[in-house]
Coordinates of all heavy atoms in Angstrom, one line a residue:
S171 N -75.4 7.9 64.8 CA -75.3 7.9 63.3 C -75.5 9.2 62.7 O -75.0 9.4 61.6 CB -76.4 6.9 62.8 OG -77.7 7.4 63.1
R172 N -76.1 10.2 63.3 CA -76.3 11.5 62.7 C -76.7 12.5 63.8 O -76.8 12.1 65.0 CB -77.4 11.4 61.7 CG -78.8 11.0 62.2 CD -79.8 11.0 61.1 NE -81.2 10.7 61.7 CZ -82.3 10.8 61.0 NH1 -82.3 11.1 59.7 NH2 -83.4 10.5 61.6
G173 N -76.9 13.7 63.4 CA -77.5 14.7 64.3 C -76.8 14.9 65.6 O -75.6 15.1 65.6
I174 N -77.5 15.0 66.7 CA -77.0 15.3 68.0 C -75.9 14.2 68.4 O -74.9 14.6 68.9 CB -78.1 15.3 69.0 CG1 -79.0 16.6 68.8 CG2 -77.5 15.4 70.4 CD1 -80.2 16.6 69.6
G175 N -76.2 13.0 68.1 CA -75.3 11.9 68.5 C -73.9 12.1 67.8 O -72.9 11.9 68.4
A176 N -74.0 12.3 66.5 CA -72.7 12.5 65.7 C -72.0 13.7 66.2 O -70.7 13.7 66.3 CB -73.0 12.6 64.2
A177 N -72.7 14.8 66.6 CA -72.1 16.0 67.1 C -71.4 15.7 68.4 O -70.3 16.3 68.7 CB -73.1 17.1 67.2
I178 N -72.1 15.0 69.3 CA -71.5 14.6 70.6 C -70.2 13.8 70.4 O -69.2 14.1 71.1 CB -72.5 13.8 71.4 CG1 -73.7 14.7 71.9 CG2 -71.8 13.2 72.7 CD1 -74.8 13.9 72.5
M179 N -70.2 12.9 69.5 CA -69.0 12.1 69.2 C -67.9 13.0 68.8 O -66.7 12.9 69.2 CB -69.3 11.1 68.2 CG -70.2 9.9 68.6 SD -69.4 8.8 69.8 CE -68.3 7.9 68.8
E180 N -68.2 14.0 67.9 CA -67.1 14.9 67.5 C -66.6 15.8 68.6 O -65.4 16.0 68.7 CB -67.7 15.8 66.3 CG -66.7 16.8 65.8 CD -65.5 16.2 65.1 OE1 -65.6 15.0 64.6 OE2 -64.4 16.9 65.1
S181 N -67.5 16.2 69.5 CA -67.1 17.1 70.6 C -66.2 16.3 71.6 O -65.5 17.0 72.4 CB -68.4 17.6 71.3 OG -69.0 16.6 72.1
L182 N -66.3 15.0 71.6 CA -65.5 14.2 72.5 C -64.3 13.7 71.9 O -63.6 12.9 72.5 CB -66.4 13.0 73.0 CG -67.6 13.4 73.9 CD1 -68.5 12.2 74.2 CD2 -67.2 14.0 75.2
N183 N -63.9 14.2 70.7 CA -62.7 13.7 70.0 C -61.5 14.5 70.6 O -61.1 15.5 70.1 CB -62.9 14.0 68.5 CG -61.7 13.5 67.8 OD1 -60.9 12.7 68.3 ND2 -61.5 14.0 66.5
R184 N -61.0 14.0 71.7 CA -59.9 14.7 72.4 C -59.1 13.6 73.1 O -59.5 12.5 73.3 CB -60.5 15.7 73.5 CG -61.6 15.2 74.2 CD -62.3 16.3 75.0 NE -61.7 16.6 76.3 CZ -62.0 17.5 77.2 NH1 -63.1 18.3 76.9 NH2 -61.4 17.6 78.3
A185 N -57.9 14.0 73.4 CA -56.9 13.0 73.9 C -57.2 12.4 75.2 O -56.8 11.2 75.4 CB -55.5 13.7 74.0
D186 N -58.0 13.0 76.0 CA -58.2 12.5 77.4 C -59.6 11.7 77.4 O -60.1 11.5 78.5 CB -58.2 13.6 78.4 CG -59.3 14.7 78.1 OD1 -59.8 14.7 77.0 OD2 -59.5 15.5 79.0
V187 N -60.1 11.4 76.3 CA -61.4 10.7 76.2 C -61.3 9.5 75.3 O -60.7 9.6 74.2 CB -62.5 11.6 75.7 CG1 -63.8 10.8 75.4 CG2 -62.8 12.7 76.8
R188 N -61.8 8.3 75.7 CA -62.1 7.2 74.8 C -63.6 7.0 74.7 O -64.2 6.9 75.7 CB -61.4 5.9 75.3 CG -59.9 5.9 75.3 CD -59.3 4.6 75.8 NE -59.8 3.5 75.0 CZ -59.6 2.2 75.3 NH1 -59.0 1.9 76.5 NH2 -60.0 1.2 74.6
V189 N -64.1 7.0 73.5 CA -65.5 7.0 73.3 C -65.9 5.9 72.4 O -65.3 5.6 71.3 CB -66.0 8.3 72.9 CG1 -65.4 8.8 71.6 CG2 -67.6 8.4 72.8
V190 N -67.0 5.2 72.7 CA -67.6 4.2 71.8 C -69.1 4.7 71.5 O -69.8 5.1 72.4 CB -67.7 2.8 72.5 CG1 -68.5 1.8 71.7 CG2 -66.3 2.3 72.6
G191 N -69.5 4.6 70.2 CA -70.8 4.9 69.8 C -71.7 3.7 69.5 O -71.2 2.6 69.4
Q192 N -73.0 4.0 69.4 CA -73.9 3.0 69.0 C -74.8 3.5 67.9 O -75.2 4.7 67.9 CB -74.8 2.6 70.2 CG -76.0 1.7 69.9 CD -77.3 2.5 69.5 OE1 -77.4 3.7 69.9 NE2 -78.2 1.9 68.8
R193 N -75.1 2.6 67.0 CA -76.1 3.0 66.0 C -76.9 1.7 65.7 O -76.5 0.6 66.0 CB -75.5 3.5 64.7 CG -74.5 2.6 64.1 CD -74.2 3.0 62.6 NE -73.4 4.3 62.5 CZ -73.4 5.0 61.4 NH1 -74.1 4.6 60.4 NH2 -72.7 6.1 61.4
T194 N -78.1 1.8 65.1 CA -78.9 0.7 64.8 C -78.2 -0.3 63.9 O -78.3 -1.6 64.2 CB -80.3 1.1 64.2 OG1 -80.9 2.0 65.1 CG2 -81.2 -0.1 64.0

Side-chain angles (χ1 to χ4, degrees):
S171 61
R172 63 178 183 175
I174 291 171
I178 291 172
M179 290 291 283
E180 179 63 27
S181 76
L182 294 171
N183 183 17
R184 41 192 277 180
D186 59 346
V187 170
R188 290 181 61 191
V189 60
V190 168
Q192 170 272 336
R193 57 165 69 202
T194 302

